[in-house]
Amino acid sequence: MTEKPTMIAFQDVHKYYGDYHALRGITATIKAGEFFSLLGPSGCGKTTLLRTIAGFEGISSGAVMIDGRNMAGVPANQRPTNMVFQSYAIFPHLTVGENVGFGLRRAGLTKDALAARVGEALDMVGLKGYGARAAHALSGGQRQRVALARALILKPKVLLLDEPLSALDKKMREQMQVELIRLQRQVGITFILVTHDQEEALVMSDRIAVMFEGEIAQLADPETLYRRPNSRKVADFIGTMNFLPASILSETGGKLEVEAQGFGKVTLEAEQAPGAASGEGAAVGFRPETLTILFEGQTATDRESMATIEEVVYYGDMTYYDVRLDGTEKPIRISMRNVFGRPVLDIGARTRVAWSPGALVLFR
Ligand SMILES: Nc1ncnc2c1ncn2[C@@H]1O[C@H](COP(=O)(O)OP(=O)(O)O)[C@@H](O)[C@H]1O
Ligand SMILES: [Mg+2]
């Protein structure tokens, strides 16, 4: 596959609101045609960064490039971007079609040409035939689609989406996530999504920038972020991560010899220690599904440890076990897919736990 060209480049972008340092040296590139997400807790600067692309927010220093062009001094309405807002403001007194065509009303199109463009945009978002309906009568999900159609009709190179699904209920949100992915593939333009929902970012994105306090902590594809988070903070923000104290015995030829509580001596590859030193002391991290409770007759394919079950949470399809590996002080979580006919273990039971050094991430 050929490398996609760069659509957005942030070059050491800083933004101050008065004394408040909201963006602290953002350097990153977003490729053409990419579904890119800005993910982080509330207040970390996601919306601010998105607005610097749109041109709604000036920057204090650095540069924002779009399609190879420095955007300094380029007003929002002359940028090849369009934004779908958190609260998608639909004009309730207009029809769906009038809402969608709103941005084109001064484009000098004939009535027929405008109607064709509106029809095309409505078709794209699954609202074919809704043009004459009153906008105020729409459901939340339909309003969302109208907002999308209104943005897409202007044929931007980049669509900016600021928490567009946060007002929808869980079921509707999941449905719209799938539709947004489909839509992005269909139109092929760059989508940049702001979300504080890690699951949403993982499901939807080609790549994700995880932000904390005005900085990008890690920028990677979903699998890398999940499997190889570069800090405890990123690991904690995305999914559940267990941690056990560890010490580094040696580091040679791209391999690390580590002594980890509960696991003993393990050899890790350099890529299993993707982060910089934090000064917090070393620890190994691992996801709940990378460990397996061994039932009678089962054997580990790699390594195994003894443990005691301390808590059991039954979810129907899954059971979460909090277990304490021998030689450790605090329980870790193991998630197990339930198998029909196999009993759920009781609190206090002794069990063997299978694990693999390859699933460990070293934080130092
Ligand atoms: N117009 C503004 N004036 C002053 N501070 C602002 C303004 N907009 C945002 N901030 C502050 O900048 C920080 C980042 O805000 P924002 O980009 O909206 O975060 P997010 O979208 O990640 O929740 C927050 O602390 C917020 O209070
Ligand atoms: Mg925001």
Side-chain angles (χ1 to χ4, degrees), residues 15-18 20-23 38-51 57 86 162-163 194-196 211 214:
K15 168 73 182 176
Y16 287 88
Y17 291 112
Y20 185 72
H21 200 174
L23 297 177
L38 301 172
L39 171 68
S42 177
C44 72
K46 306 178 297 292
T47 293
T48 301
L49 189 58
L50 199 74
R51 290 170 62 89
E57 208 71 77
Q86 201 158 8
D162 192 354
E163 312 243 12
V194 160
T195 180
H196 64 271
M211 291 180 69

Side-chain angles (χ1 to χ4, degrees), residues 156-324:
K157 287 182 181 165
V158 182
L159 188 69
L160 306 170
L161 303 133
D162 192 354
E163 312 243 12
L165 309 181
S166 61
L168 304 176
D169 65 45
K170 185 170 158 36
K171 207 166 170 190
M172 194 66 218
R173 196 160 66 235
E174 285 171 359
Q175 189 185 330
M176 283 304 294
Q177 285 171 0
V178 175
E179 290 199 25
L180 268 180
I181 299 169
R182 180 190 57 75
L183 187 63
Q184 193 269 338
R185 286 195 191 129
Q186 183 192 331
V187 296
I189 64 171
T190 310
F191 276 37
I192 307 177
L193 173 79
V194 160
T195 180
H196 64 271
D197 180 338
Q198 49 99 12
E199 215 171 82
E200 182 163 292
L202 288 178
V203 166
M204 300 184 71
S205 318
D206 294 316
R207 289 192 309 150
I208 301 168
V210 181
M211 291 180 69
F212 297 119
E213 292 161 20
E215 291 179 306
I216 295 179
Q218 188 169 4
L219 196 170
D221 61 278
E223 197 183 345
T224 303
L225 273 183
Y226 189 78
R227 281 168 43 91
R228 301 285 183 247
N230 68 1
S231 69
R232 273 165 256 219
K233 214 168 165 184
V234 170
D236 257 342
F237 194 74
I238 295 177
T240 303
M241 183 71 104
N242 294 299
F243 297 99
L244 285 171
S247 51
I248 300 167
L249 305 175
S250 70
E251 191 168 358
T252 43
K255 289 196 192 296
L256 297 119
E257 291 294 330
V258 173
E259 173 85 36
Q261 248 188 42
F263 295 124
K265 265 188 202 157
V266 288
T267 304
L268 306 181
E269 305 292 330
E271 57 110 11
Q272 289 176 261
S278 66
E280 293 174 68
V284 289
F286 47 99
R287 301 293 185 185
E289 70 279 9
T290 63
L291 273 65
T292 308
I293 292 188
L294 293 171
F295 289 83
E296 231 168 85
Q298 292 182 315
T299 49
T301 50
D302 203 340
R303 305 262 301 256
E304 67 176 72
S305 300
M306 282 304 293
T308 304
I309 310 271
E310 296 204 337
E311 189 63 71
V312 180
V313 186
Y314 179 74
Y315 275 92
D317 61 334
M318 304 285 292
T319 301
Y320 289 177
Y321 292 100
D322 289 338
V323 313
R324 204 151 54 76

